Amino acid sequence: MRDADRRTIIAGLGAGLAVAASTACAAPRGRKIGYAIVGLGRYAELIMSKFAECDQSRLVALVSGTPEKLTRFGEKYGIPASHRYSYADFDRIRDNPDVDVVYVILPNALHAEYTVRAAKAGKHVMCEKPMAVSVAECRTMIAACRAAGRKLMIGYRSRFEPYNQLAIDLAKKGFVGPTRIITADHGFNAQPNQWRLDRKWSGGGSLMDIGIYSLNATRYLTGEDPVEVSAIESTDRSDPRFATVEDRISFLLRFPSGIEATCVSSYSSNHNMYRVTGTQGWIELEPATAYEGQAMRIRRDGRTEAQSVPVPKGQHAGQLDHFAGCILNGTDPLVPGEEGLADMRVIEAIYRSAREGRRITLG
Ligand code: NAD
């Protein structure tokens, strides 16, 4: 790589880190925003461990249907019995002044109900992806938070991950020339007997769960919403895992600027990557949206180089502190409910395209 190129990447890197710093939001000293976690499953367990890395956020309450989990995690994180709730008495959270934010980490079909209940209890809401199981539910959630005067953010953690932030910055600056094509592949081999494979709780298969990372990446790398969608689905319905949800669904997106994206979503093969290809080369992340271990390669002027990026703070803590900063400073989150809604509009179009075997145009 030529020195001039290195300098340009480093300048880009500086800009990427500036993005990271700006998403963190400086907050008044002393006050930390209190989070209640709803649903104490596997991802919630990871999130609870991340408050230790936070500067502006703290864990103050737990909500679960399993008394044993309330006791176990309550003791582990020093949450008193007065701050532990069942689903039935969840609405009492309105009387708890320590809780600023309710973080919904439940199966997808429960996101809307608990977001609306939290907003009615006067709390800000962080909700996991996918935001809900339909566009209609997303709209209801946004309206409920707006009516309550509370903020809503979706758990799109990659926006707080430095490699993704740099990729966005380099793509927007045209470091490998104007973007022409994006490829984004996400998938894993789904284990049987879980709510993800039951449409009633998940709302759909791989696309709702993991393919959404491919879709969301194309939107944050372009800064655009697709105007045309084409999809094909391949599901072996004799596999008991896929009795009610799809396995593989591949989709092609066309963006207003003319950029095309080809995306993979799979519950039977392992992928975690994207590549932004411009007129002069490409920027690739693999893994792209894993919890850690991101790796970047850049090809420009016929040469390919690995690019490492400092990671001053993990993406989970970055996400929690970003929302805390928004509340403390009265600013809007980087990934509000409207972002979840935008993805859900495309998800519905992808399903429709696969079902009807035709291109779908989005207004
Ligand atoms: P999980 O199965 O490990 O946990 C779900 C929790 O919900 C469990 O504690 C379960 O007891 C509880 N629950 C309440 N009602 C339930 C019901 N009717 N059926 C099943 N469980 C019920 O799932 P998870 O992997 O923690 O996923 C939870 C949410 O977090 C999902 O929306 C998922 O998409 C999201 N998630 C996000 C990420 C990310 O990286 N952003 C990673 C994993 C999961």
Side-chain angles (χ1 to χ4, degrees), residues 300-323:
R300 204 167 88 138
D301 297 336
R303 295 187 61 177
T304 305
E305 299 250 345
Q307 179 68 50
S308 68
V309 181
V311 180
K313 188 176 197 169
Q315 58 189 305
H316 297 97
Q319 169 188 300
L320 293 165
D321 272 348
H322 169 74
F323 198 39

Side-chain angles (χ1 to χ4, degrees), residues 77-96:
Y77 291 107
I79 310 298
S82 59
H83 289 45
R84 301 175 195 167
Y85 301 86
S86 69
Y87 296 122
D89 66 8
F90 168 74
D91 303 290
R92 280 202 302 109
I93 214 157
R94 80 169 62 241
D95 303 321
N96 189 334

Side-chain angles (χ1 to χ4, degrees), residues 108-109 111-113 115-116 131-145 152 208 337 340-349:
N108 310 340
H111 290 185
E113 177 191 338
T115 295
V116 171
M131 180 172 171
V133 296
S134 68
V135 164
E137 280 192 350
C138 294
R139 292 209 166 107
T140 301
M141 293 158 77
I142 291 169
C145 291
L152 171 59
M208 282 281 185
L341 168 64
D343 275 356
M344 195 55 60
R345 284 185 70 231
V346 185
I347 285 174
E348 287 192 350

Side-chain angles (χ1 to χ4, degrees), residues 40-43 69 87 105-108 110-111 128-130 155 157 195-196 201 209 213 291:
L40 302 182
R42 285 180 54 188
Y43 192 58
K69 284 191 201 168
Y87 296 122
I105 319 186
L106 288 164
N108 310 340
L110 295 169
H111 290 185
E128 257 318 312
K129 46 55 64 179
R157 58 181 165 72
W195 63 261
R196 282 180 171 73
W201 296 112
D209 192 39
Y213 287 93
Y291 294 157

